[in-house]
Amino acid sequence: MKNEAIPFRFNLTNLLNKARRKVGSSIGDITLNLPFVSIAISPKDLERKVAREVVIRLKDRRVLSASECCDNCIDNALKSLQEIRVVLVDKQVELSDIQDGSAYLLLDAMTLGIRQFLTFEQRLNSDAASRSHAPTQGFYRPHDIRQAYFEALELLRGHLSRCLGQMALIAGMSLPTEDMIAKYQGPWMIEAYEPLVIDDKSSGDSPDA
């Protein structure tokens, strides 16, 4: 995705500052890579278990395994995101006693990305609802709104897939090399994120949007 096709940017500043303070000072045998930050970690057994379950449950979800071509595809992707959100929150509850750990951090990054996408999606939906448009089969959003959905979902798919790749490191698993998630592994798309503002005094709570 080219820079000019980025419809919104993720803001992970508070989460990444939290990572730097609460996880980044430890010495570990795994290096977790996030936008702007790399962290040495030593996951606990429960974190590895949860990470394995997250990778297994999410890798075949619709929004992460296929791109969109019409409005029906967009609707299916939005439904898939809600299903993913349920899984992530359930696993955060399971890790409620290890909220300073790396697995919880990644779950937080994923849920935060989805929340920020949905905030953007609400604006798109409101804009589409305010405009008259003659629908055709499978295409009932205005063209520019549909294109914005495509670009935003692509952005979110890259974010979630890279988070899932880091989760696989915690789990000690390898992601399949032939699926769609594999194409998003490697360096983070830094231009999709608001620049990190270092703040060692902030509370570290993640923003809602």
Side-chain angles (χ1 to χ4, degrees), residues 117 119-129 144-145 148-149 152:
F117 165 83
T119 297
F120 175 76
E121 189 270 337
Q122 287 173 358
R123 295 197 296 269
L124 287 181
N125 193 41
S126 178
D127 188 9
D144 59 326
I145 297 293
Y149 268 101

Side-chain angles (χ1 to χ4, degrees), residues 99-110:
Q99 294 188 32
D100 289 346
S102 54
Y104 194 97
L105 177 73
L106 282 171
L107 292 172
D108 213 9
M110 296 173 86

Side-chain angles (χ1 to χ4, degrees), residues 24-43:
S25 60
S26 63
I27 298 175
D29 52 0
I30 298 174
T31 299
L32 199 68
N33 292 308
L34 297 167
F36 311 108
V37 175
S38 293
I39 307 163
I41 62 169
S42 292

Side-chain angles (χ1 to χ4, degrees), residues 46-47 49-50 53-54 84-100 103-105 107-108 111 167:
L46 179 58
E47 292 181 286
K49 173 181 175 293
V50 167
E53 292 178 1
V54 169
I84 288 175
R85 200 175 188 183
V86 170
V87 173
L88 297 177
V89 171
D90 285 347
K91 293 308 170 184
Q92 283 184 308
V93 171
E94 193 170 338
L95 288 174
S96 58
D97 290 335
I98 321 177
Q99 294 188 32
D100 289 346
Y104 194 97
L105 177 73
L107 292 172
D108 213 9
T111 56
M167 194 70 80

Side-chain angles (χ1 to χ4, degrees), residues 9-13 16-17 19-20 32-39 187-198:
R9 285 179 171 78
F10 299 106
N11 184 350
L12 303 183
T13 290
L16 294 174
N17 275 305
R20 291 177 56 254
L32 199 68
N33 292 308
L34 297 167
F36 311 108
V37 175
S38 293
I39 307 163
W188 290 82
M189 187 179 176
I190 294 300
E191 59 269 31
Y193 299 85
E194 295 291 348
L196 175 60
V197 178
I198 303 299

Side-chain angles (χ1 to χ4, degrees), residues 5-184:
I6 296 175
F8 75 99
R9 285 179 171 78
F10 299 106
N11 184 350
L12 303 183
T13 290
N14 288 348
L15 183 144
L16 294 174
N17 275 305
K18 176 182 177 181
R20 291 177 56 254
R21 291 191 305 274
K22 296 187 176 183
V23 184
S25 60
S26 63
I27 298 175
D29 52 0
I30 298 174
T31 299
L32 199 68
N33 292 308
L34 297 167
F36 311 108
V37 175
S38 293
I39 307 163
I41 62 169
S42 292
K44 293 180 169 61
D45 289 342
L46 179 58
E47 292 181 286
R48 293 184 185 277
K49 173 181 175 293
V50 167
R52 285 194 295 271
E53 292 178 1
V54 169
V55 171
I56 291 170
R57 288 179 181 274
L58 264 58
K59 64 184 180 69
D60 292 324
R61 293 289 179 174
R62 167 66 176 77
V63 71
L64 296 180
S65 61
S67 57
E68 296 73 37
C69 64
C70 65
D71 288 313
N72 290 332
C73 288
I74 291 171
D75 293 337
N76 288 334
L78 295 176
K79 179 181 177 181
S80 178
L81 280 177
Q82 295 299 342
E83 294 169 348
I84 288 175
R85 200 175 188 183
V86 170
V87 173
L88 297 177
V89 171
D90 285 347
K91 293 308 170 184
Q92 283 184 308
V93 171
E94 193 170 338
L95 288 174
S96 58
D97 290 335
I98 321 177
Q99 294 188 32
D100 289 346
S102 54
Y104 194 97
L105 177 73
L106 282 171
L107 292 172
D108 213 9
M110 296 173 86
T111 56
L112 179 57
I114 292 175
R115 287 200 301 272
Q116 293 181 358
F117 165 83
L118 291 176
T119 297
F120 175 76
E121 189 270 337
Q122 287 173 358
R123 295 197 296 269
L124 287 181
N125 193 41
S126 178
D127 188 9
S130 68
R131 296 159 57 182
S132 60
H133 176 67
T136 58
Q137 185 175 8
F139 297 92
Y140 47 84
R141 294 179 175 91
H143 173 76
D144 59 326
I145 297 293
R146 186 184 312 112
Q147 184 61 33
Y149 268 101
F150 290 162
E151 293 166 356
L153 282 166
E154 175 70 10
L155 198 70
L156 180 62
R157 187 159 33 245
H159 173 73
L160 295 178
S161 295
R162 290 182 178 93
C163 285
L164 203 60
Q166 297 303 299
M167 194 70 80
L169 289 177
I170 295 174
M173 299 172 62
S174 297
L175 290 173
T177 57
E178 70 279 2
D179 65 8
M180 194 166 186
I181 293 174
K183 85 171 193 174
Y184 297 100

